[in-house]
Structure formats: structure tokens, C-alpha cells
Amino acid sequence: MYIESSYPNAQEILAQTLEQAGDGVVIVDANHCITLFNKAAETLWGRCRDEVLGQHIGQLMPFAPLSKLIASDGTGGSNPVVGSSMEVTIERRDGATLCGALSVSKLRVEGAVFHAIFIRDVTEEARRREELRLLSLGANETANAVVITGADSRIIYVNAGFTRMLGYELAEARGKIPSQLLSGQHTDPQVIEYAKSHVALQQDFHVEILVYDKQNRPLWISAMINPVFNDAGQLQNMVAVYANITHTKMHEVLQHKVLNAMVREAPLLEVAELICREVEHIAPDVVVSILRVDAEDRLRPLAAPSLPDPIAQAIDGLAIGPDVGACGSAAYWGEQVVATDITTDPRWALHKHLFLPLGLVACWSNPIKASDGRVLGTLAFYYRAHREPDAFLERLSVVCEHLCALALERDEARVNIRKLAFYDVLTGLPNRRRLYAKATQAIEEVMRSGAPLAVLFVDLDRFKQVNDSLGHAVGDELLCETALRIKAQLRECDIVGRLSGDEFVIVAPDCNSHQAAEIAERLLAGLSRPIVIGGVKLRSSASIGISLYPDSGHHIEQLLQHADMAMYQAKMAGRHRCCFFSAEMDRQVQERQALELALREALEQKQLQLHYQPQVRLGDSRLYGVEALARWHHPQLGDVSPARFVPLAEECGLVMELGHWALHEACRQLAEWRRRGLAIPAVSVNLSPKNFHHLGLPRLIADILRQHGLSPTDLTLEMTESVLMDGSPETLSTISALHEQGVRLSIDDFGTGYSSLGYLHRLPVDELKLDKRFVHDLDNDEAARALTHAIIRIGESLHLTVVAEGVESETQRCFLAKSGCQVAQGYLFARPMPVEALERWMTTTLACAST
Ligand SMILES: Nc1nc2c(ncn2[C@@H]2O[C@H](COP(=O)(O)O[C@H]3[C@@H](O)[C@H](n4cnc5c(=O)[nH]c(N)nc54)O[C@@H]3COP(=O)(O)O)[C@@H](O)[C@H]2O)c(=O)[nH]1
């Protein structure tokens, strides 16, 4: 601006001009003190000029580097602009801040230097600029792709996210239609059609679609498309935001679907097929197969929904190996195997003919590994192009491998749990639960068809002895071998299971009594063949009980119970045989059960009694002792013979109680007689073999004798030969302890059992009881006489007292006496009697005999 200096009001014109200027003007002197502060400056800072004139400029703009700017300029000519426009923050008096665009000019007036500061309020402009910057950040720095198309659907803008996601720069994309630019081989045309229809309707919409980037790599995007209309309501633009959901698809969708299937207990094959189908959906150029590696390292197809069945059939059972296709090799090496061209790959020599006709030319297979590193199977991707795995498919494969591993391990665990729940761990045979289920099914089938069915209950003979004497490991091996031998004799349709211990059950459908007997014969023969275990040759045998559907029962519980009864019968009949269930057997069992109950009550309620039978010295007719014999009179059943209830007590576990009761009662009675002056030298008590297994027996007897003030020699324990023969360490130790205590031991029924003379020599026996059958036959059987004679001689030589049982006649008594037998008992002298009768006998008969 130029003002004629001669013009008288030039100063005034200048001052008013500055005062009315739209921008703030502040002039500072050489000391940077404010000398002019125009109206606009007052408005800008919210301060009046009186406040600021003469003040240092720094007070107005504490944050602006203004002083430096002014000071740095020492040279400028007339009115040079020393600071180009810069933006500064203006702090208003009321605390608000504004943004000002500032420029500084240097002035020289009459030799003095001034600076004029021009400042304009650009707050709104700065705000808009910042908004734009942030908008641009939002558009370009997001991972999402933003595409804006015009009303003609052609791209007019793409953000940097689009370039990053899909590879195309704005220049490349501009003018193109997005669906054309991004579609590829497996883009779903239906989704494109759906999108187009919405564009035509000018509606917003959302799609998930497989597209291809500039490198032709597939990726899944989720596209949200919104129309933008102008003020006249006409479509101006479509704004689309694409999110890359490839990984979400893989991780969330795939995992979600597969895990969901597992949660609802879908079978393994279903889960495997789901994985294949989902992968083929996510990556449509891939054909997927999943194989499992079985316990014998053989490939077993699980799923390959896009491959024809003959391929699965050809692969099924192939042993894994270093050159067995991609899968066999991947399973063998435990590593990824890539075959980019199966035509030439040597590993494919034997199998390429299956794949090439389908256009599948490349394959890569990855091992599916368990958490402990075992190879459980393989996951193979097949392609129609010679290609290597890319990052996308690598990632997809990893996700699937984990899912497959989870499914396979889960299935493995399920199989194991099932095995534990339904199979016997030792033999691998179905357990009771499984056997019942399968048998019930089989019975239902024969019920429909009207066919017969047999249930065979197999129990090994003397298995306990094997276990006790040779140890449980040998026992276990015997059971496993038994299971194998039983299976070897059966048909495919027969069901065999192990109930417990040495009990096996066979359910044979369509099997009549004749066929069942044949099976039993084969089993008896098979199971009696010697077995060598740990160098020891074992001879085992079994007893078999058979029940038949429908005659012996209509459901498995009943059939089993009856087969069990028949088996028991087979045992009773001498073992190593089979026995059919019969109604009579059932009756006996019912009766036996009732008797067992009654015996328990009798023992509890002290309903048993002891009768005593005298034993007489043949030399001088003096009393040698009395034998205590149990008697049971039941209110309803009447007298029950010990020959019946003693074995029953043995079978049902009451024999300990019976033995202890007899010992207590006999000793109590002997003590009582002694107190009353009846000279009874000793009492004999019968004990069962099981009583001698009890290591506490010597202690118990010592206590009883002490309790009644008796000495050990007052008591004789009668045992059968089987006690001595069982050879168990417990029995031998009990017998030795009793002998050391001084209790006398007698062998009952001598001559009828094993009659091994060896044990007589070794064991501390005091007495032999010549069995009454020999005595009975003395009158008319030379052999009986000879044997009796021999037994008496054995007794003599070993210094054992021989007591002849069952002496009923004078002839027998004479023969025995002449033969040197010391003691006799039998009806000739007296029957077993209740206490009072014995006492009478003592005072009458015995007294007569001694006189
Ligand atoms: N473990 C236990 N076993 C016992 C007990 N009480 C008895 N028994 C055993 O039961 C079997 C049968 O006994 P029982 O019916 O009492 O028969 C005995 C005698 O009555 C009978 N006997 C005696 N003299 C004669 C005779 O001259 N002729 C003849 N026909 N029978 C006679 O013999 C049986 C005695 O046998 P034994 O014991 O072998 O000496 C029997 O095996 C008893 O042992 C008990 O408490 N516990």
C-alpha cells in the first residue's frame, strides 16, 4: 500500500486502516514490546489494548516461537516478511484457545526497527483439516478395505486397506466393477447375483464371499454395502467395507462347527466328513481326505467326500511306509510330504492311476499327531494344479490337523473308556455288562425266529489252587489262554464273556441241547490240553453247566443262574464234565437256599446241639474218650443230618462259625463233666478243612482250653486226609502249631482218601480212625480184613493210636481186638447221645463193663 506522504492525514488513514483490518495486527518495538494492538487483535485474544500495550509480546503468545523468529532476523530489507505463515495457539483471556495463522513483517521507521505481526483466526479451518486427517486415517489405516463406487457401480475410490487386502492400487481399481475385479474360479455366482439384486434395489446388504486378490489367492471377505443418496434422493454412491474373514472362517466357523459336532457326540466318521466338507467350502480348489493309522500301522480311510469310493477301498489297509503315496509317507515320517506332480513323483507310482483320471495332479499330506507325538492319521489336500502349499492353505491345514487330532484322540479315549466299561481288561472278552446286553439281544432274535439258544457256564477246576500255589501272574496267563481256547471252539455268532475270576459264559444262538453238548465236549477237550506257563506245564480242566432257551429260562439272568447251578452240579459230580440244568436241580437249589437260611438262623439262635459217642479201649473196655457230633433239630424240617448241613455250611461260608461253636461247646461240656466228677478222658471234635486254613485256630483253641481249665491233651481234633493233602502253607503251619501246643490230631475216615503214607511220617498226627466201611465189611470181605490189618500195623509202627469206627457187632470187635486195634466206637457200644444219655450210659453200661 502506498499513501502520499504529503497528504496531511496519512498517519490517520494508516491508523484507521490497521484498526479496521479483519486480521489481528500487533506491532512490537525493538524490545518486542507491544506498541500497537488493533481491534481484531482485541477480539482474537479477548483482551483490550490497554492491557497489552507496552507488554512483552511473549505474554500474548507464550507458546509461539515468535521472539526467536524476530530475533533471528537481523538483515531483512524494507518490510520483508521474516516469518512465513505459521500456526500458533492463541490463549484467550476466558481460557478458550484458538488457532491463528501468523506472519511477521519487519518495519523500519525513522531508524527504529518494528515488527508487525498479522494474525488470522483459522480455528475452524484447522478443525476441518484435523477432521479430514482423522477421516483419512480411518479410511486408510484400518485393516478393512473401503470401496466407493459411483451410481454406475464402478469404483471411484478404494482406501489403502483395499490395496493391502487385495493388492490393487486405486489407479488399477478405478472404473472397475468390484465383483468383476475380485471374482475368481470358485467365487459363488449366486452370492454375486444376490449382491447385484440388492445394488439394483439400492438397498444396503451384507454378504460373505470367497474372492481372489491380485495374485489370484483366495480369501474370504465379509462385505457390508451401503447406498448413499444425493439431496434429490438419487443414488450417488455405494460405500462398501470389506473385512477379511478368512481366518475367522477357519478358526471360528470351522472350529465351531467341528467342536459342536464333537460336543453332541457325533461319530468320528461324521466329524471327519464335516472337516473335509468345511475345508472344501473354505478352499474350493482343494479336495480333502482324512485317514487314520491303525494299531498295525495301516491306513484306514475316515473321510474323503469328494473322492470316489474305489480310492478309499484301494487305500484301506495299506501299510504306511517311506514311499507309500503322500499319506503313507507322511504317516511313516511323521512329517509333511509334498508332491507337486504326482505323475512323476516316485512315491505315487502305485497309486497315481487312481487320482490322475480325476484331474488331481498334486497332493500334500500332513501327519495328524496326538498330544504325545504319536501319528494318529493324515490330512491330505489334493489339487488340480501343480502347486505348492501357500500360507493360506498351510494355516487351514494346521487348524484342521488340530481338529482331526482332537477328534481322533477323543475317539481313542472313547474306545478305551468303552473297553474299560464293557470289556474285561485281562482277557479282552466282553465283561458281564456287555455279555448281558449282547445275550439279551441274541435272545430277542431267537425269540422272533423261534430258534433255540444255549448258555454255557464254564468254571475252571481248582483255579484257586493254581493262583495260590503258582501266583497270580500264572493264574492270569491261564485265564488268558482259557479265553483263547474257548474262542477257538466257537462260531462267529457265539458270544463269549468273562463274568469274574475263572467264570466264563458262552451264549450260543441257534443251538439246541445236542449242539450245546457238542460245544461243551469240545471245550472240555480244549481246556484240558496241557498249558505251559513260564516253563511250568499245567493241566487244567473245567466244569460246564448248560441251560437252554426257552426250557430253562426266558431271559439271560435266569438262563445264567440255571447254567451256574448246572455247573455246580458238574463240580459236585467230580469236575471236568458238563451238566444240563433240570427242574429237579432247580428244586434242589431252592431247597438248599432255604436250608442255608435256616442254618444261619440255627447258628445264630444256638439251635444246634452236640451229641457224644463213646470211644472204648478194646483191651480193658475203659473209656478212651468221646466224639462230639453236631445235631440239628429244626422246628419244621425236623432232624437234619450233619452229613447234609456240614457240607452246606462249608459251601455257604458258615463252617468257621460251626467249628468254633463245636469247639466251645465240647470243651465247655468236658469241663462241666470234670467239675461234676465224670471221668471222661478226652473229647474229639470234628473240624472241616477250612477251619485249618485259619491261622488263628491254635490261638483260639488255647484260649478256649484256658477258659475252661482244660489241658491240650484233653482235646482231639479230627480232620480228613484232604486237610493234610492240601499242602497249603496256612494249613501246615496251623497243624504244627496245634501239635506244639499239645492238642492231639486224628485222621478221620482213614483209608478212604489218598492214604498217602508220606504225610503220616512227616506230619504230627497222633491217631488214625479206621473208616467204618472197612469195619462194616470185616465179616465178609477178605480185602477189608487185609486192609484193616495193614492200617493197624501202620499205626503200630508209627506209634499212632488206631480207633476203629462203626463197630456194630461182636465179631467185628473180636477181629479188631485180635488184630491189635486199641480203640473202637460204634453202635455196639453206644450211639451218639445227648449229654444226659451219655451220663446215664457212663454210670450204667461203662460201670458194668469195668466190673
Ligand atoms: N465238621 C464237622 N463235621 C461233623 C460234625 N458233626 C458231625 N460231623 C460229620 O458229619 C458226618 C455225619 O455224622 P453223623 O451223622 O453224626 O455220623 C456219625 C456217627 O453217627 C456215625 N456212626 C457212629 N457209629 C456208627 C456205627 O456203628 N454205624 C454207623 N453206620 N454209623 C456210625 O458215624 C459218624 C461219625 O463219623 P466220623 O466223624 O467220621 O467219626 C460225619 O462225617 C461227621 O464227621 C461237626 O461238628 N463238625
Side-chain angles (χ1 to χ4, degrees):
M1 182 174 85
Y2 177 77
I3 299 172
E4 181 64 50
S5 58
S6 58
Y7 191 76
N9 288 324
Q11 286 281 333
E12 181 57 22
I13 290 168
L14 193 59
Q16 283 197 27
T17 306
L18 287 176
E19 184 62 10
Q20 288 170 25
D23 291 350
V25 179
V26 182
I27 297 178
V28 295
D29 63 13
N31 295 324
H32 302 164
C33 291
I34 302 167
T35 57
L36 187 137
F37 196 70
N38 76 347
K39 183 130 187 78
E42 279 185 325
T43 311
L44 212 53
W45 266 278
R47 295 170 191 269
C48 65
R49 65 193 62 169
D50 294 345
E51 265 181 78
V52 298
L53 284 175
Q55 299 294 324
H56 192 272
I57 186 66
Q59 280 197 349
L60 276 185
M61 288 178 280
F63 305 114
L66 193 66
S67 303
K68 261 194 203 160
L69 198 68
I70 296 168
S72 69
D73 176 66
T75 53
S78 170
N79 293 338
V81 174
V82 295
S84 55
S85 183
M86 63 183 289
E87 277 179 11
V88 292
T89 302
I90 295 166
E91 272 201 9
R92 283 170 56 84
R93 181 182 214 159
D94 59 10
T97 55
L98 296 175
C99 180
L102 170 152
S103 60
V104 181
S105 290
K106 192 174 185 179
L107 314 169
R108 248 178 236 285
V109 179
E110 294 169 2
V113 173
F114 294 87
H115 282 91
I117 301 162
F118 304 94
I119 189 153
R120 187 156 40 90
D121 183 359
V122 292
T123 309
E124 187 54 26
E125 202 180 308
R127 192 188 59 74
R128 270 202 302 274
R129 216 177 39 240
E130 179 60 8
E131 209 172 79
L132 264 178
R133 188 184 71 80
L134 292 175
L135 261 178
S136 152
L137 263 183
N140 290 316
E141 297 310 316
T142 168
N144 291 341
V146 178
V147 183
I148 301 175
T149 54
D152 59 356
S153 295
R154 290 185 184 277
I155 295 172
I156 52 177
Y157 170 81
V158 294
N159 72 341
F162 183 91
T163 309
R164 280 194 299 273
M165 188 187 291
L166 295 148
Y168 297 102
E169 298 287 346
L170 174 58
E172 295 168 285
R174 192 180 285 130
K176 307 263 172 41
I177 293 173
S179 59
Q180 288 172 359
L181 180 70
L182 303 176
S183 287
Q185 191 186 2
H186 296 286
T187 304
D188 190 342
Q190 283 184 343
V191 181
I192 302 268
E193 280 314 306
Y194 171 83
K196 278 184 183 164
S197 66
H198 278 77
V199 171
L201 291 168
Q202 304 182 354
Q203 289 171 336
D204 50 6
F205 64 96
H206 169 250
V207 285
E208 284 185 7
I209 185 167
L210 181 76
V211 296
Y212 289 80
D213 69 6
K214 192 176 168 186
Q215 310 294 320
N216 202 31
R217 287 178 306 217
L219 71 157
W220 279 89
I221 59 163
S222 158
M224 188 69 226
I225 295 115
N226 294 93
V228 178
F229 302 97
N230 64 14
D231 293 343
Q234 292 158 331
L235 179 74
Q236 198 170 18
N237 301 103
M238 294 292 271
V239 178
V241 179
Y242 301 163
N244 185 343
I245 56 162
T246 311
H247 293 157
T248 318
K249 271 247 172 231
M250 266 194 255
H251 289 263
E252 286 170 23
V253 179
L254 179 65
Q255 274 186 7
H256 181 74
K257 283 189 181 176
V258 175
L259 293 178
N260 248 352
M262 288 193 221
V263 167
R264 66 176 162 79
E265 295 286 321
L268 176 65
L269 292 185
E270 196 184 301
V271 175
E273 177 150 340
L274 177 71
I275 294 173
C276 291
R277 289 205 186 281
E278 283 301 313
V279 172
E280 289 174 0
H281 177 65
I282 295 169
D285 51 343
V286 176
V287 169
V288 188
S289 91
I290 300 172
L291 306 177
R292 140 176 255 164
V293 176
D294 71 11
E296 276 86 42
D297 279 342
R298 294 188 178 276
L299 297 174
R300 301 289 174 196
L302 285 182
S306 300
L307 290 176
D309 286 346
I311 292 193
Q313 285 155 15
I315 290 173
D316 195 11
L318 276 181
I320 64 168
D323 303 315
V324 183
C327 296
S329 318
Y332 180 82
W333 297 113
E335 284 170 8
Q336 184 182 78
V337 168
V338 179
T340 50
D341 186 355
I342 65 177
T343 329
T344 53
D345 194 311
R347 291 171 295 206
W348 282 84
L350 293 175
H351 307 107
K352 61 184 174 192
H353 67 282
L354 296 167
F355 293 86
L356 291 175
L358 304 170
L360 299 172
V361 293
C363 170
W364 44 287
S365 179
N366 286 287
I368 300 166
K369 292 188 179 176
S371 37
D372 59 7
R374 278 176 306 124
V375 175
L376 300 170
T378 57
L379 171 75
F381 287 2
Y382 296 89
Y383 306 98
R384 293 187 173 79
H386 299 292
R387 57 179 288 191
E388 299 237 338
D390 59 27
F392 166 69
L393 290 174
E394 284 273 19
R395 196 182 293 263
L396 188 57
S397 174
V398 169
V399 172
C400 291
E401 283 159 38
H402 285 140
L403 289 171
C404 289
L406 195 63
L408 282 164
E409 280 197 288
R410 200 171 136 274
D411 193 63
E412 217 175 52
R414 214 160 41 175
V415 169
N416 281 340
I417 290 169
R418 201 177 130 73
K419 258 195 189 162
L420 286 176
F422 294 110
Y423 291 87
D424 165 39
V425 181
L426 181 67
T427 60
L429 291 179
N431 62 11
R432 180 186 294 267
R433 189 193 293 187
R434 176 108 180 116
L435 180 88
Y436 270 51
K438 290 187 79 177
T440 304
Q441 213 178 338
I443 293 169
E444 278 166 7
E445 276 165 29
V446 292
M447 207 180 274
R448 277 193 292 275
S449 67
L453 174 143
V455 173
L456 291 87
F457 199 112
V458 181
D459 189 284
L460 292 185
D461 296 331
R462 298 198 176 85
F463 176 70
K464 188 176 177 319
Q465 263 168 273
V466 174
N467 243 353
D468 290 348
S469 53
L470 299 173
H472 285 250
V474 174
D476 285 354
E477 268 202 60
L478 177 60
L479 291 174
C480 291
E481 180 61 25
T482 303
L484 289 176
R485 290 187 181 190
I486 291 177
K487 278 204 275 189
Q489 301 302 337
L490 302 179
R491 302 164 301 170
E492 189 77 5
C493 63
D494 295 332
I495 303 155
V496 57
R498 180 176 168 228
L499 287 196
S500 62
D502 58 339
E503 294 173 347
F504 297 84
V505 168
I506 296 143
V507 177
D510 300 324
C511 181
N512 59 27
S513 59
H514 179 67
Q515 291 158 325
E518 277 179 0
I519 296 179
E521 283 309 316
R522 287 205 306 273
L523 288 171
L524 289 174
L527 295 175
S528 63
R529 274 190 288 115
I531 302 173
V532 179
I533 300 173
V536 179
K537 196 176 193 177
L538 287 182
R539 261 194 186 280
S540 174
S541 69
S543 300
I544 301 176
I546 305 172
S547 63
L548 294 166
Y549 168 87
D551 299 347
S552 324
H554 285 87
H555 49 80
I556 184 61
E557 287 84 359
Q558 203 175 19
L559 286 163
L560 258 182
Q561 191 190 5
H562 289 165
D564 187 10
M565 286 181 195
M567 183 278 293
Y568 179 75
Q569 206 61 33
K571 290 257 187 222
M572 291 294 106
R575 300 188 172 95
H576 184 44
R577 66 196 62 218
C578 81
C579 204
F580 277 86
F581 170 78
S582 67
E584 170 57 16
M585 202 179 278
D586 194 25
R587 196 194 56 73
Q588 283 173 9
V589 168
Q590 303 294 336
E591 198 182 285
R592 185 181 163 276
Q593 281 172 354
L595 199 65
E596 181 186 324
L597 193 69
L599 180 60
R600 277 183 199 282
E601 280 172 10
L603 276 165
E604 270 167 27
Q605 295 165 16
K606 310 261 182 274
Q607 288 174 358
L608 297 185
Q609 274 190 321
L610 282 181
H611 281 195
Y612 297 90
Q613 185 175 35
Q615 297 170 322
V616 179
R617 291 180 186 275
L618 288 176
D620 54 11
S621 298
R622 282 192 298 127
L623 188 64
Y624 168 79
V626 292
E627 180 181 359
L629 293 155
R631 293 291 179 263
W632 177 23
H633 180 81
H634 186 270
Q636 279 81 44
L637 303 170
D639 286 332
V640 184
S641 161
R644 185 142 177 238
F645 70 77
V646 171
L648 179 70
E650 278 170 354
E651 284 159 27
C652 62
L654 290 171
V655 79
M656 289 297 211
E657 223 176 306
L658 177 69
H660 294 178
W661 166 79
L663 282 167
H664 271 287
E665 181 55 22
C667 291
R668 189 200 60 74
Q669 187 58 58
L670 183 63
E672 161 89 18
W673 281 325
R674 296 258 174 100
R675 251 197 324 279
R676 289 174 33 217
L678 258 87
I680 299 201
V683 66
S684 292
V685 175
N686 288 281
L687 289 183
S688 293
K690 274 199 185 133
N691 294 119
F692 289 92
H693 291 162
H694 177 40
L695 286 168
L697 185 67
R699 178 72 190 266
L700 176 87
I701 288 177
D703 287 348
I704 295 174
L705 291 171
R706 198 177 318 111
Q707 190 187 338
H708 296 292
L710 298 176
S711 70
T713 48
D714 291 333
L715 179 66
T716 302
L717 300 178
E718 292 193 19
M719 58 189 156
T720 52
E721 283 175 276
S722 62
V723 174
L724 298 171
M725 294 302 291
D726 93 352
S728 85
E730 291 89 357
T731 305
L732 296 179
S733 130
T734 307
I735 289 173
S736 300
L738 287 167
H739 174 72
E740 274 164 35
Q741 259 172 245
V743 175
R744 288 165 55 80
L745 297 167
S746 172
I747 299 177
D748 206 0
D749 306 334
F750 188 77
T752 57
Y754 307 92
S755 298
S756 160
L757 300 183
Y759 70 76
L760 284 185
H761 167 66
R762 279 198 318 275
L763 292 167
V765 178
D766 302 280
E767 186 181 282
L768 297 181
K769 290 193 79 178
L770 178 65
D771 189 69
K772 55 180 169 286
R773 274 167 281 184
F774 294 109
V775 177
H776 179 265
D777 293 344
L778 284 178
D779 295 342
N780 46 25
D781 187 346
E782 182 57 37
R785 284 195 290 275
L787 281 167
T788 302
H789 203 74
I791 290 170
I792 294 168
R793 295 287 82 76
I794 290 168
E796 257 173 28
S797 342
L798 295 173
H799 308 291
L800 306 175
T801 308
V802 176
V803 179
E805 287 187 280
V807 180
E808 293 183 357
S809 69
E810 196 49 39
T811 344
Q812 289 164 347
R813 191 191 68 77
C814 284
F815 179 86
L816 290 163
K818 265 195 224 152
S819 301
C821 177
Q822 297 114 309
V823 183
Q825 85 181 80
Y827 298 167
L828 177 69
F829 308 100
R831 289 184 174 255
M833 297 170 279
V835 173
E836 305 75 34
L838 179 87
E839 290 171 4
R840 274 197 303 278
W841 180 86
M842 289 274 291
T843 49
T844 55
T845 317
L846 198 60
C848 294
S850 59
T851 52

